[in-house]
Amino acid sequence: MLLPSPWRADFPAIAALQRQGQTYLDSAATAQKPQALIDALTHYYANGAANVHRAQHLPGALATQAFEDTRHKVSQWLNVGSSGQIVFTHGATSAFNLLAYGLEHVFEPDDEIVISALEHHANLLPWQQLALRRGLKLVVLPLTETGLIDVEAAACLIGPRTRLLAVSQLSNVLGAWQPLTELLAQARAQGAMTVVDGAQGVVHGGQDLQALGCDFYVFSSHKLYGPDGVGVLYGRHQALATLRHWQFGGEMVLQTNYYEATFRPAPLGFEAGTPPIAGVIGLGASLDYLNSLDPLAVAKHEAGLHQALREGLLAREGVQLLGSPELALASFVVDGIHNADLAHLLTEQGIAVRAGHHCAIPLLKSLGLAGAIRVSLGMYNDSDDLERFFNALDQALELLQ
Ligand code: PLP
């Protein structure tokens, strides 16, 4: 079936990559950028860069306005009401670290932090290290056979000692929506705080965090067709108020002398130093671009591509999918073939997919695997990309099998 992408031409890098003989199928690692974002960055740098929240001059006022406009656009993308609940960080990873340090004081020894077996290192290591620092217990929720966090097991493991639950919305390895509604309800019933890793989920359309009811939600701009170097931490007002300040420096301070200081509340109190100004403005342009599209058409295109990817993989002898991927990506291994050998042959043929542990070493280990190949899709991919991938895969399998 032919699945052309109506948005392909909006992403100049796709054609450039094709001229370099590359088929880009690694959008879960980072997405290519729309022309609208490139134009916004050029406009900002070509018309006068300026620092934000500090300068009284016109360039400073314009930069601050554009920066704060993005905060508003992010709050709308997440449907969280007030933009004062949006903190800009330098990426999802720095947002998780902010949380793990900013919340450290709420934990007592023997308190429990609950994560799941499929977490990306970014939503594992900050909590693991916090648990080690403070003598806390890290509880790991198991997965069902289809790669979902096991809600029944969670009902036994989330208990009165649970102080915080931190789970992914959409796995970067297994490609399935996780049962967040049930898990968050279980955590709330125990009075625990909730953190959602939205790094992969946020890419597939606007979110409704008011309906979801999490305390914190984290994502990176670069996977949402925005610039790298920018992350978002959403926190409910009350949740943000429990955070202790973490990084210290310019603009996050209210008053200081040489010996002590008072600090701003969120969001600015958690944006110490010069933030990634151009990146934040660029994220606003990417969100404008995404908002100009028909979300149903994007979802339909992505679903069609994903189905073709999944069916094509399952049709090949010896291919085993990891979990039961339902959108955006599929990870797989092939019986009797090392993923690094396969990755090498795909790379030689210009197929840009990801191979290895996907920053989820414990998950891969629990599946008994050293690594896997991951194909991930963006809205600019089309059925020709998949055809090139499958041709390359068949060639590689012929050589290796
Ligand atoms: N969480 C998930 C599910 C991810 O896929 C990633 C990145 O791959 C991250 C967190 C970390 O994002 P970043 O590296 O942009 O901080």
Side-chain angles (χ1 to χ4, degrees):
M1 198 187 7
L2 278 184
L3 295 165
S5 164
W7 312 286
R8 198 167 170 91
D10 298 343
F11 294 81
I14 293 294
L17 284 164
Q18 227 172 310
R19 286 193 294 278
Q20 298 161 44
Q22 295 296 310
T23 298
Y24 192 74
L25 291 165
D26 196 16
S27 295
T30 200
Q32 300 303 328
K33 315 305 175 196
Q35 185 64 47
L37 154 60
I38 300 165
D39 291 345
L41 291 179
T42 306
H43 182 270
Y44 168 68
Y45 283 128
N47 284 276
N51 217 322
V52 289
H53 302 127
R54 306 153 156 74
Q56 77 298 343
H57 48 65
L58 181 68
L62 291 175
T64 302
Q65 184 62 51
F67 186 91
E68 290 303 319
D69 283 350
T70 299
R71 207 187 295 277
H72 181 63
K73 290 169 197 173
V74 172
S75 71
Q76 288 183 320
W77 187 258
L78 301 179
N79 189 29
V80 295
S82 140
S83 62
Q85 300 174 107
I86 302 299
V87 176
F88 289 118
T89 67
H90 296 276
T93 300
S94 57
F96 285 116
N97 280 283
L98 188 168
L99 287 176
Y101 282 97
L103 292 172
E104 183 161 345
H105 65 282
V106 306
F107 294 92
E108 305 284 342
D110 295 328
D111 276 351
E112 295 178 359
I113 296 176
V114 179
I115 59 164
S116 86
L118 55 70
E119 298 311 318
H120 185 282
H121 294 163
N123 191 32
L124 158 66
L125 298 177
W127 306 120
Q128 176 201 83
Q129 294 301 308
L130 167 61
L132 291 171
R133 281 199 302 280
R134 292 296 308 268
L136 314 176
K137 189 170 166 205
L138 195 68
V139 175
V140 183
L141 301 178
L143 308 181
T144 63
E145 290 218 327
T146 54
L148 296 181
I149 302 171
D150 188 332
V151 176
E152 277 176 31
C156 305
L157 291 167
I158 297 174
R161 298 255 35 157
T162 306
R163 188 71 62 230
L164 182 136
L165 169 77
V167 282
S168 173
Q169 183 182 25
L170 176 66
S171 162
N172 64 308
V173 180
L174 306 175
W177 292 112
Q178 297 302 320
L180 286 188
T181 310
E182 294 88 333
L183 293 168
L184 297 192
Q186 289 171 356
R188 266 194 302 272
Q190 301 293 342
M193 290 175 289
T194 54
V195 178
V196 173
D197 177 354
Q200 297 292 338
V202 76
V203 179
H204 304 288
Q207 305 293 311
D208 188 351
L209 298 193
Q210 292 186 72
L212 187 62
C214 55
D215 290 314
F216 296 103
Y217 184 92
V218 167
F219 73 90
S220 278
S221 148
H222 68 94
K223 296 188 202 279
L224 184 56
Y225 305 102
D228 45 33
V230 179
V232 167
L233 168 65
Y234 153 77
R236 283 195 308 115
H237 281 303
Q238 298 95 314
L240 287 174
T242 60
L243 284 177
R244 289 254 169 95
H245 291 87
W246 173 47
Q247 290 187 324
F248 301 90
E251 283 309 304
M252 54 78 67
V253 71
L254 275 176
Q255 271 306 329
T256 186
N257 58 31
Y258 283 116
Y259 306 104
E260 53 192 13
T262 54
F263 304 111
R264 287 182 195 263
L268 294 190
F270 294 88
E271 295 175 0
T274 298
I277 301 165
V280 168
I281 294 172
L283 172 60
S286 294
L287 287 173
D288 286 344
Y289 168 74
L290 294 173
N291 282 322
S292 75
L293 309 179
D294 172 0
L296 291 180
V298 176
K300 193 168 163 225
H301 176 68
E302 290 185 348
L305 272 186
H306 186 262
Q307 192 185 345
L309 170 64
R310 200 187 144 118
E311 286 174 3
L313 284 171
L314 287 174
R316 263 105 190 143
E317 211 187 306
V319 169
Q320 312 277 353
L321 289 184
L322 273 55
S324 189
E326 42 183 320
L327 82 162
L329 60 89
S331 302
F332 67 97
V333 290
V334 185
D335 292 342
I337 292 180
H338 197 286
N339 79 87
D341 294 336
L342 186 51
H344 178 73
L345 291 181
L346 290 173
T347 304
E348 277 203 330
Q349 297 176 82
I351 303 297
V353 292
R354 179 93 185 267
H357 55 60
H358 310 294
C359 297
I361 292 176
L363 170 63
L364 271 287
K365 274 193 182 155
S366 74
L367 297 170
L369 299 171
I373 309 273
R374 182 185 69 190
V375 181
S376 60
L377 306 164
M379 66 167 76
Y380 34 67
N381 287 121
D382 61 14
S383 42
D384 288 347
D385 291 334
L386 287 186
E387 197 180 321
R388 280 191 289 276
F389 163 68
F390 281 122
N391 286 341
L393 180 64
D394 289 339
Q395 293 248 15
L397 293 181
E398 211 175 295
L399 272 172
L400 294 169
Q401 262 169 345

